[in-house]
Amino acid sequence: MTQLAVAANENLAHISNVLIYSSMAVYTLAFFAHIAEWTFGSRSKVGRTAAALTGGAARTAARGPAPAVQVTTKGGGTAVLEQPQVVTRAASGSRDVPDGPGAAGGTEQGDLYGRIAVSLTTLGFLVEAAGVVARALSVQRAPWGNMYEFSITFSTVAVGAYLVLLALKKNVRWMGLMLVTTVLLDLGIATTWLYTDSDQLVPALHSYWLYIHVSTAIICGAVFYIGAVGTVLYLFRDAYEAKLEQGGKPGKFATSVLERLPSSGSLDKFSYRINAAVFPLWTFTIIAGAIWAGDAWGRYWGWDPKEVWSFVTWVAYACYLHARATAGWKGRKAAYLALFAFACWIWNYYGVNILLSGKHSYAGV
């Protein structure tokens, strides 16, 4: 490589670093915009979900059945019709609870800050994606050769998946604050502790399988993360609904935040669909890794720590999907299993790469 080419690659690496730090600055602005959205949304005057929760059996017991309606027929006579019962949307087997109004709480000012937050998140995504591309150009390969590169690509894909859901008109803006917070945490760890010079590459990674196996692993992790966010919020929302159902009085902060989320049934369904959709791709990721191992090391499976924990993660998600489809394991039990599965994925990334040694020790730190 000529001296001019080396200098060009160094400049690209520097540009990549600047873009990654710039994306962090934009994400920080998006974080504050989401905070403003939730703050102004708390002042909403729209009907509260708590009223819907306490307004079913409690109102029926206090006031009796819904009043009848008297109508006049064509012949001049009268007839009495029972007022129809309004049933809100909810998942099968869950409470009949409507979705909350969202982080903005139905307020114009809250919605304005929410739209600003989404715009800033989109800008941060574009800047970060440019940083990932600049990193790839600086080394003339896929930017997934070490944990730093994997981390910046992971957060880019996670934000991209969130924006795709928004573009598809899915009601997911409620996860914006948690998403931006964890993306900032991911980038902070990557730039502070995981940074590696762009010219480092393990010889075994010089393969077209890098584009297949690692790219699918990143996509799976990013989408599993979105499913985990939905699961965590489901547990909080379900506990909130249960407390109201039992006549309890949650604190003002919990009420203000949790009542604006989708219902527990909606969150449960969302998490299940996300995890179920990406599970086949995770299966393919493991198979692709085994084929790559056969090409690189002459064996398809060697019980390397990374291989073992990838399989453990697969088993955990398989158990979750099976449990979620079994009546006795729906709800909180299945949710705990989903979080355990995602914890296995996190351990497989951070713990195995940094704390355990093996053929997949590509941390570079």
Side-chain angles (χ1 to χ4, degrees), residues 14-35:
H14 176 69
I15 292 173
S16 173
N17 295 339
V18 172
L19 288 171
I20 294 300
Y21 280 106
S22 298
S23 71
M24 294 175 66
V26 177
Y27 284 137
T28 301
L29 295 176
F31 169 82
F32 286 115
H34 273 300
I35 290 292

Side-chain angles (χ1 to χ4, degrees), residues 16-32 120-129 131 148 151-152 155-156 159 179-193 195:
S16 173
N17 295 339
V18 172
L19 288 171
I20 294 300
Y21 280 106
S22 298
S23 71
M24 294 175 66
V26 177
Y27 284 137
T28 301
L29 295 176
F31 169 82
F32 286 115
L120 289 170
T121 302
T122 303
L123 177 60
F125 164 77
L126 294 175
V127 174
E128 185 182 11
Y148 170 75
S151 293
I152 61 176
S155 57
T156 303
V159 176
L179 173 75
V180 171
T181 302
T182 49
V183 164
L184 283 171
L185 178 63
D186 171 74
L187 292 177
I189 293 173
T191 55
T192 304
W193 292 294
Y195 182 79

Side-chain angles (χ1 to χ4, degrees), residues 268-284:
D268 182 46
K269 185 188 299 183
F270 170 80
S271 301
Y272 171 68
R273 288 177 175 176
I274 289 290
N275 289 325
V278 78
F279 179 74
L281 187 60
W282 182 246
T283 304
F284 171 78

